[in-house]
Amino acid sequence: MRLSAERSHPVRWRQVLLPFLLSLFGWALPDQIRYSIPEELAKNSVVGNLAKDLGLNIRDLPARKLRVSAEKEYFTVNPESGDLLVSNRIDREKICGKKPLCILDFDTVAENPLNIFQVAVTVQDINDNIPLFKQSKIDLKIGESTKPGKTFPLDPALDLDAGPNSLQRYHLNDNEYFGLAEKQTPDGRKYPELILKHSLDREEENFHQLVLTAVDGGDPPQSGTTQIQIQVTDANDNPPVFSQEVYRVSLKEGVLPGFSVLQVTATDQDEGSNAEVTYSFHNVDEQVKQFFNLDKRTGEITTKDNFDFEIANSYTLGIEAKDPGDLAAHCSIQVEILDENDCAPEVIVTSVFTPLPEDSPPGTVIALIKTRDKDSGENGEVYCRILGNAAFILKSYSKNYYKLMTDGALDREEIPEYNVTIMATDRGKPPLSSSTTITLRITDVNDNAPVFQQSAYLVHVPENNPPGASIAQVSASDPDLGPNGHVSYSIVASDLEPRALSSYVSVSAQSGVVFAQRAFDHEQLRAFELTLQARDQGSPALSANVSLRVLVGDRNDNAPRVLYPALGPDGSALFDTVPRAAQPGYLVTKVVAVDADSGHNAWLSYHVLQASEPGLFSLGLRTGEVRTARALGERDAARQRLLVAVRDGGQPPLSATATLLLVFADSLQEALPDFSDRAEPSDPQAELQFYLVVALALISVLFLLAVILAVALRLRRSSSPAAWSCFHSDLSSKSGPGVLSNYSEGTLPYSYNLCVASQSAKTEFNFMNVTPEAAPPRDLLCGDASWVPSTNPGDAEGPFASDTILKFCSPDAGCRCRLVLREVSAPPDLMKSSLDPGIQRTVHSLSGCLPRRYLSENLPAKTNQGVTPAQRIIGII
């Protein structure tokens, strides 16, 4: 069955309503705990965690003795978990009947200290009842002369559920003659009425059978049915008629049984026995028959039992009048019950906490008072008051609940015991009242805990303080006397390591003075917090805690530290490259420094102490960014040195320096040779010397080029084939006398070797750039030929003292191949040296090796026969 399934699997949900919903009920409190559960929950089902919702600690439940206080305990509290459990069956229909809202109110009491909480549990209806008709068959007799539109009230179906699950509608099976209408009584009950749609003809059909169904609003809906059997009677009869369709009567709830309520009368136009009318209840609840009697012959209605306004304040009676021909008439009687002040209020002390400690603060709850008056309206309104005692007050926190609370400080030495009388009076006329007396005993306790002068302490201690110095003092007072007022101090907690706490601070147990056990370092410990406790000597002892926060002030005891530029592994400064085409504002590098201090002491500024070229770079005062202030000029050195100072903002300020080596180069390979031999920057005088040495080296190179060109021209003028006999197709290396091969001595770090070769009618003169480490031990020679320098003036035409004469000798041609290099003051048309614009060398003569004609760099050499293969001089790479 569906009902059993719902009961075995109840919807175990609950909801704590929001405080604003409590305003829907005038008797509810803002702090009232509310739950909502379905009816018919199994025993020990959990409604909610009451302890958690009340803000109680579960570990304190055994001492607090949380319990339910109610007339009938539907619920209980689990003492271990604090859960509110169902202890008895909750049948909404039995508890609340047809009330639209079913709420179970009760109190929960917690002791040590005493607190009373009101709890309201809303019981929601489940669809556990089906609509039922009183009779499974309804018999009606309708005359064939009855006009269409006539209505015939029927007994309603009864559904004990409420709200949406209650009876919602009726419907009739389809037929030709009858329809159905739904009516509603003043108390909200729905009942059906049968409507005649067409005239009846007894000769055609004298009997009709219909099925009436009642449906509730459950999900899924449930229904009940009854059979309606209609007999069509002869037209020669008149039905009874009531003088009124609806009668209204008011009764006081105090009327005695047998009191005459009303007499109804129905008349019948028939004569004789056909005019005799009998009366009966029609379409009424069983509850109505318990309180009213109806005389079948006279139609007089009398009371049967005492009325209770608090149970039911109105009744609806349906009366049916029938003649011997079973023709009937119906009327309705509305009976209203008037309340009387017939019940005196009750004063119930649900809980009381005694003895009461003298240190109980004002507002401490001593007892919970509940009043109850069964009357309604003003007759049921109750107010309470305390008779003749100003130390306590009653505070109403709902319609029927009061808290007995302390109104001031209690002193056991003055009054050790109180007798409090509480009187409850209703507002009826005349008013009724009742009273009760509560006896309270006051006990003496250590009721004053030490109190610190401040809620929290904050001290500032500069770093590098002397060990053993006093840094703070805390003070607490206790108004108690004797040992209860004697206070001692201790450190109970700290954010320092427990092992390190004693090495940092200590406190005097008698005076509360806090001492520093060591010198503090702001960079290692900027702040720490202590929890100090003041404890009296009472039994039990009371204590209070206060926090002491120590801020270690900073002093300028740390110089800035440069993170970039960093020194190399050997301790030398590294360098940064700057593009030669860098525009003003170009970010070259950035000096990065940190200071372990804080605040103004760590506010760093950057300054240029020394620069190779002042004005070429700019330095950000706060950022440390090095930027180009202008473009690189022709006279600016490729290497620059900056000495940067980093200062903090302390007083006095501390500083650190950093050296920046900057090289203007378009690539790292271009910058590396310059720094391989010059790790240390020089001053302007040293750089001038450097430029002079470079100029001298260039002059020497140009002179050497001039000698080579002269030899080449000399060889070209020579037309003897034998002069070429020393040049073979194979190029070999052989030691022998020749020009100096290593020019690394002095200021030029490079060596140059000369090779003269002939292969496939092509002659080349090459100056080869070789590093000192990679210089070959031998000069490149032409086959087996040997060549020696010659300075004999007789071997050249018009020799000069500065001429350099190179001879090429071979076993076949002898020493006829001769190269004369001459240094001239102005460049000739035939050959120019690109090594240095101030010094020019050219080939003066070249004889015995090739026809003596023109020879220029990277251009064809012209002879009498035309253009010969290219003759070129390869310069320094």
Side-chain angles (χ1 to χ4, degrees), residues 326-364:
D326 288 334
L327 297 178
H330 301 85
C331 72
S332 176
I333 302 174
Q334 303 294 330
V335 179
E336 181 183 4
I337 306 300
L338 303 178
D339 183 53
E340 289 185 346
N341 190 21
D342 56 345
C343 298
E346 300 179 54
V347 180
I348 304 171
V349 180
T350 59
S351 297
V352 62
F353 186 80
T354 184
L356 184 66
E358 65 170 335
D359 61 346
S360 300
T364 300

Tab-separated table of all heavy atoms in Angstrom, residues 326-364:
chain	number	residue	atom	x	y	z
A	326	ASP	N	-41.368	9.834	1.048
A	326	ASP	CA	-39.909	9.955	0.924
A	326	ASP	C	-39.479	11.209	0.177
A	326	ASP	O	-38.368	11.280	-0.356
A	326	ASP	CB	-39.297	8.722	0.253
A	326	ASP	CG	-39.308	7.515	1.164
A	326	ASP	OD1	-39.311	7.691	2.402
A	326	ASP	OD2	-39.303	6.384	0.626
A	327	LEU	N	-40.382	12.173	0.063
A	327	LEU	CA	-39.971	13.461	-0.472
A	327	LEU	C	-39.363	14.265	0.666
A	327	LEU	O	-39.903	14.287	1.781
A	327	LEU	CB	-41.152	14.195	-1.099
A	327	LEU	CG	-41.792	13.506	-2.310
A	327	LEU	CD1	-42.985	14.311	-2.815
A	327	LEU	CD2	-40.763	13.299	-3.409
A	328	ALA	N	-38.218	14.905	0.411
A	328	ALA	CA	-37.446	15.537	1.495
A	328	ALA	C	-37.148	16.987	1.181
A	328	ALA	O	-37.122	17.419	0.024
A	328	ALA	CB	-36.153	14.776	1.744
A	329	ALA	N	-36.901	17.707	2.270
A	329	ALA	CA	-36.431	19.093	2.213
A	329	ALA	C	-35.252	19.232	3.173
A	329	ALA	O	-35.139	18.453	4.145
A	329	ALA	CB	-37.560	20.070	2.571
A	330	HIS	N	-34.390	20.190	2.935
A	330	HIS	CA	-33.165	20.327	3.720
A	330	HIS	C	-32.978	21.769	4.158
A	330	HIS	O	-33.345	22.713	3.441
A	330	HIS	CB	-31.940	19.883	2.911
A	330	HIS	CG	-32.009	18.466	2.447
A	330	HIS	ND1	-32.647	18.095	1.280
A	330	HIS	CD2	-31.543	17.313	3.011
A	330	HIS	CE1	-32.554	16.789	1.113
A	330	HIS	NE2	-31.876	16.284	2.158
A	331	CYS	N	-32.350	21.926	5.320
A	331	CYS	CA	-31.963	23.249	5.809
A	331	CYS	C	-30.670	23.109	6.594
A	331	CYS	O	-30.262	21.994	6.968
A	331	CYS	CB	-33.062	23.870	6.667
A	331	CYS	SG	-33.253	23.089	8.293
A	332	SER	N	-30.035	24.257	6.873
A	332	SER	CA	-28.749	24.275	7.570
A	332	SER	C	-28.852	25.181	8.784
A	332	SER	O	-29.462	26.262	8.721
A	332	SER	CB	-27.648	24.770	6.637
A	332	SER	OG	-26.429	24.882	7.327
A	333	ILE	N	-28.222	24.748	9.916
A	333	ILE	CA	-28.221	25.528	11.157
A	333	ILE	C	-26.764	25.818	11.530
A	333	ILE	O	-25.963	24.883	11.693
A	333	ILE	CB	-28.934	24.774	12.304
A	333	ILE	CG1	-30.381	24.457	11.903
A	333	ILE	CG2	-28.890	25.569	13.590
A	333	ILE	CD1	-31.097	23.607	12.910
A	334	GLN	N	-26.403	27.104	11.675
A	334	GLN	CA	-25.066	27.533	12.070
A	334	GLN	C	-25.107	27.887	13.551
A	334	GLN	O	-25.790	28.837	13.967
A	334	GLN	CB	-24.618	28.745	11.246
A	334	GLN	CG	-24.620	28.531	9.749
A	334	GLN	CD	-23.583	27.509	9.325
A	334	GLN	OE1	-22.548	27.357	9.969
A	334	GLN	NE2	-23.875	26.814	8.238
A	335	VAL	N	-24.377	27.127	14.375
A	335	VAL	CA	-24.347	27.342	15.827
A	335	VAL	C	-22.974	27.921	16.188
A	335	VAL	O	-21.942	27.285	15.925
A	335	VAL	CB	-24.609	26.032	16.596
A	335	VAL	CG1	-24.560	26.286	18.103
A	335	VAL	CG2	-25.939	25.428	16.187
A	336	GLU	N	-22.946	29.102	16.799
A	336	GLU	CA	-21.713	29.763	17.228
A	336	GLU	C	-21.608	29.683	18.741
A	336	GLU	O	-22.571	30.004	19.463
A	336	GLU	CB	-21.713	31.216	16.782
A	336	GLU	CG	-20.449	31.961	17.187
A	336	GLU	CD	-20.505	33.426	16.789
A	336	GLU	OE1	-21.554	33.865	16.269
A	336	GLU	OE2	-19.490	34.126	17.016
A	337	ILE	N	-20.446	29.254	19.238
A	337	ILE	CA	-20.204	29.111	20.664
A	337	ILE	C	-19.483	30.368	21.151
A	337	ILE	O	-18.442	30.756	20.596
A	337	ILE	CB	-19.379	27.855	20.974
A	337	ILE	CG1	-20.041	26.614	20.353
A	337	ILE	CG2	-19.198	27.689	22.465
A	337	ILE	CD1	-21.432	26.347	20.851
A	338	LEU	N	-20.022	30.998	22.192
A	338	LEU	CA	-19.440	32.204	22.776
A	338	LEU	C	-18.587	31.826	23.984
A	338	LEU	O	-19.023	31.062	24.851
A	338	LEU	CB	-20.542	33.182	23.183
A	338	LEU	CG	-21.501	33.617	22.067
A	338	LEU	CD1	-22.581	34.546	22.623
A	338	LEU	CD2	-20.741	34.293	20.939
A	339	ASP	N	-17.365	32.411	24.006
A	339	ASP	CA	-16.438	32.093	25.089
A	339	ASP	C	-16.850	32.822	26.364
A	339	ASP	O	-17.281	33.981	26.331
A	339	ASP	CB	-15.016	32.474	24.678
A	339	ASP	CG	-14.019	32.104	25.745
A	339	ASP	OD1	-14.015	30.928	26.165
A	339	ASP	OD2	-13.240	32.973	26.152
A	340	GLU	N	-16.603	32.192	27.499
A	340	GLU	CA	-16.815	32.779	28.811
A	340	GLU	C	-15.557	32.608	29.643
A	340	GLU	O	-14.783	31.667	29.434
A	340	GLU	CB	-18.008	32.121	29.522
A	340	GLU	CG	-19.355	32.480	28.930
A	340	GLU	CD	-20.505	31.907	29.754
A	340	GLU	OE1	-20.235	31.024	30.606
A	340	GLU	OE2	-21.643	32.339	29.562
A	341	ASN	N	-15.331	33.525	30.567
A	341	ASN	CA	-14.155	33.447	31.438
A	341	ASN	C	-14.446	32.453	32.555
A	341	ASN	O	-14.700	32.805	33.706
A	341	ASN	CB	-13.840	34.831	32.002
A	341	ASN	CG	-12.487	34.851	32.701
A	341	ASN	OD1	-11.632	34.000	32.440
A	341	ASN	ND2	-12.304	35.804	33.594
A	342	ASP	N	-14.344	31.234	32.188
A	342	ASP	CA	-14.668	30.182	33.136
A	342	ASP	C	-13.455	29.402	33.602
A	342	ASP	O	-13.589	28.429	34.350
A	342	ASP	CB	-15.676	29.219	32.517
A	342	ASP	CG	-15.174	28.630	31.202
A	342	ASP	OD1	-14.192	29.172	30.645
A	342	ASP	OD2	-15.747	27.634	30.718
A	343	CYS	N	-12.253	29.818	33.143
A	343	CYS	CA	-11.021	29.113	33.523
A	343	CYS	C	-10.046	30.099	34.139
A	343	CYS	O	-9.718	31.139	33.522
A	343	CYS	CB	-10.382	28.424	32.326
A	343	CYS	SG	-11.405	27.142	31.566
A	344	ALA	N	-9.541	29.809	35.323
A	344	ALA	CA	-8.515	30.638	35.967
A	344	ALA	C	-7.155	30.307	35.352
A	344	ALA	O	-6.894	29.157	34.967
A	344	ALA	CB	-8.505	30.390	37.474
A	345	PRO	N	-6.278	31.313	35.247
A	345	PRO	CA	-4.945	31.031	34.686
A	345	PRO	C	-4.140	30.127	35.611
A	345	PRO	O	-4.316	30.142	36.838
A	345	PRO	CB	-4.325	32.416	34.553
A	345	PRO	CG	-5.049	33.262	35.529
A	345	PRO	CD	-6.447	32.720	35.616
A	346	GLU	N	-3.260	29.382	35.014
A	346	GLU	CA	-2.373	28.493	35.763
A	346	GLU	C	-0.948	29.039	35.683
A	346	GLU	O	-0.510	29.519	34.646
A	346	GLU	CB	-2.407	27.081	35.176
A	346	GLU	CG	-3.773	26.418	35.198
A	346	GLU	CD	-3.734	25.049	34.574
A	346	GLU	OE1	-2.903	24.220	34.999
A	346	GLU	OE2	-4.503	24.808	33.620
A	347	VAL	N	-0.206	28.937	36.784
A	347	VAL	CA	1.208	29.335	36.836
A	347	VAL	C	2.021	28.063	37.029
A	347	VAL	O	1.890	27.383	38.060
A	347	VAL	CB	1.481	30.333	37.965
A	347	VAL	CG1	2.945	30.720	37.982
A	347	VAL	CG2	0.605	31.564	37.796
A	348	ILE	N	2.850	27.762	36.042
A	348	ILE	CA	3.646	26.528	36.057
A	348	ILE	C	5.116	26.910	36.044
A	348	ILE	O	5.590	27.602	35.131
A	348	ILE	CB	3.311	25.637	34.847
A	348	ILE	CG1	1.803	25.338	34.813
A	348	ILE	CG2	4.118	24.350	34.890
A	348	ILE	CD1	1.356	24.657	33.537
A	349	VAL	N	5.852	26.494	37.071
A	349	VAL	CA	7.304	26.707	37.123
A	349	VAL	C	7.945	25.480	36.485
A	349	VAL	O	8.023	24.410	37.095
A	349	VAL	CB	7.786	26.917	38.563
A	349	VAL	CG1	9.303	27.144	38.581
A	349	VAL	CG2	7.069	28.084	39.214
A	350	THR	N	8.363	25.642	35.252
A	350	THR	CA	8.916	24.484	34.536
A	350	THR	C	10.335	24.160	34.980
A	350	THR	O	10.707	22.990	35.019
A	350	THR	CB	8.905	24.750	33.022
A	350	THR	OG1	9.684	25.923	32.744
A	350	THR	CG2	7.481	24.980	32.535
A	351	SER	N	11.132	25.183	35.317
A	351	SER	CA	12.511	24.947	35.748
A	351	SER	C	12.915	26.062	36.695
A	351	SER	O	12.502	27.213	36.529
A	351	SER	CB	13.480	24.911	34.555
A	351	SER	OG	13.160	23.841	33.695
A	352	VAL	N	13.752	25.706	37.656
A	352	VAL	CA	14.264	26.691	38.603
A	352	VAL	C	15.697	26.301	38.955
A	352	VAL	O	16.014	25.113	39.086
A	352	VAL	CB	13.384	26.776	39.865
A	352	VAL	CG1	13.363	25.446	40.598
A	352	VAL	CG2	13.847	27.891	40.787
A	353	PHE	N	16.566	27.304	39.042
A	353	PHE	CA	17.969	27.067	39.334
A	353	PHE	C	18.266	27.635	40.721
A	353	PHE	O	18.285	28.855	40.933
A	353	PHE	CB	18.858	27.748	38.292
A	353	PHE	CG	20.312	27.437	38.454
A	353	PHE	CD1	20.839	26.249	38.000
A	353	PHE	CD2	21.160	28.345	39.079
A	353	PHE	CE1	22.181	25.963	38.159
A	353	PHE	CE2	22.506	28.061	39.238
A	353	PHE	CZ	23.020	26.865	38.779
A	354	THR	N	18.485	26.752	41.659
A	354	THR	CA	18.801	27.160	43.022
A	354	THR	C	19.724	26.100	43.640
A	354	THR	O	19.558	24.906	43.361
A	354	THR	CB	17.522	27.327	43.861
A	354	THR	OG1	17.874	27.827	45.152
A	354	THR	CG2	16.748	26.039	43.996
A	355	PRO	N	20.734	26.490	44.448
A	355	PRO	CA	21.038	27.861	44.862
A	355	PRO	C	21.645	28.688	43.736
A	355	PRO	O	22.175	28.143	42.774
A	355	PRO	CB	22.033	27.664	46.002
A	355	PRO	CG	22.719	26.376	45.664
A	355	PRO	CD	21.670	25.507	45.025
A	356	LEU	N	21.613	30.008	43.934
A	356	LEU	CA	22.063	30.939	42.919
A	356	LEU	C	23.364	31.593	43.375
A	356	LEU	O	23.423	32.162	44.468
A	356	LEU	CB	20.998	32.006	42.684
A	356	LEU	CG	21.268	33.021	41.566
A	356	LEU	CD1	21.262	32.319	40.213
A	356	LEU	CD2	20.214	34.123	41.601
A	357	PRO	N	24.445	31.511	42.555
A	357	PRO	CA	25.705	32.146	42.960
A	357	PRO	C	25.542	33.660	43.049
A	357	PRO	O	24.814	34.269	42.272
A	357	PRO	CB	26.681	31.751	41.847
A	357	PRO	CG	26.062	30.560	41.198
A	357	PRO	CD	24.595	30.756	41.295
A	358	GLU	N	26.260	34.248	43.990
A	358	GLU	CA	26.124	35.675	44.180
A	358	GLU	C	26.759	36.481	43.045
A	358	GLU	O	26.462	37.662	42.891
A	358	GLU	CB	26.757	36.108	45.499
A	358	GLU	CG	28.266	35.910	45.548
A	358	GLU	CD	28.881	36.575	46.768
A	358	GLU	OE1	28.263	37.530	47.269
A	358	GLU	OE2	29.955	36.145	47.211
A	359	ASP	N	27.607	35.868	42.258
A	359	ASP	CA	28.227	36.600	41.157
A	359	ASP	C	27.393	36.542	39.881
A	359	ASP	O	27.869	36.917	38.810
A	359	ASP	CB	29.626	36.052	40.874
A	359	ASP	CG	29.593	34.585	40.458
A	359	ASP	OD1	28.537	33.933	40.641
A	359	ASP	OD2	30.621	34.083	39.957
A	360	SER	N	26.159	36.099	40.001
A	360	SER	CA	25.294	36.054	38.816
A	360	SER	C	25.056	37.472	38.322
A	360	SER	O	24.617	38.336	39.092
A	360	SER	CB	23.953	35.388	39.149
A	360	SER	OG	24.152	34.074	39.598
A	361	PRO	N	25.340	37.749	37.042
A	361	PRO	CA	25.160	39.113	36.527
A	361	PRO	C	23.689	39.448	36.378
A	361	PRO	O	22.829	38.547	36.333
A	361	PRO	CB	25.866	39.072	35.170
A	361	PRO	CG	25.772	37.645	34.757
A	361	PRO	CD	25.847	36.835	36.012
A	362	PRO	N	23.352	40.723	36.304
A	362	PRO	CA	21.957	41.098	36.050
A	362	PRO	C	21.466	40.481	34.744
A	362	PRO	O	22.182	40.439	33.746
A	362	PRO	CB	22.007	42.630	35.969
A	362	PRO	CG	23.222	43.005	36.755
A	362	PRO	CD	24.210	41.904	36.533
A	363	GLY	N	20.232	40.001	34.799
A	363	GLY	CA	19.669	39.334	33.631
A	363	GLY	C	19.847	37.837	33.646
A	363	GLY	O	19.461	37.165	32.686
A	364	THR	N	20.466	37.297	34.707
A	364	THR	CA	20.613	35.843	34.803
A	364	THR	C	19.243	35.196	34.979
A	364	THR	O	18.450	35.590	35.827
A	364	THR	CB	21.520	35.470	35.981
A	364	THR	OG1	22.805	36.054	35.775
A	364	THR	CG2	21.656	33.961	36.097
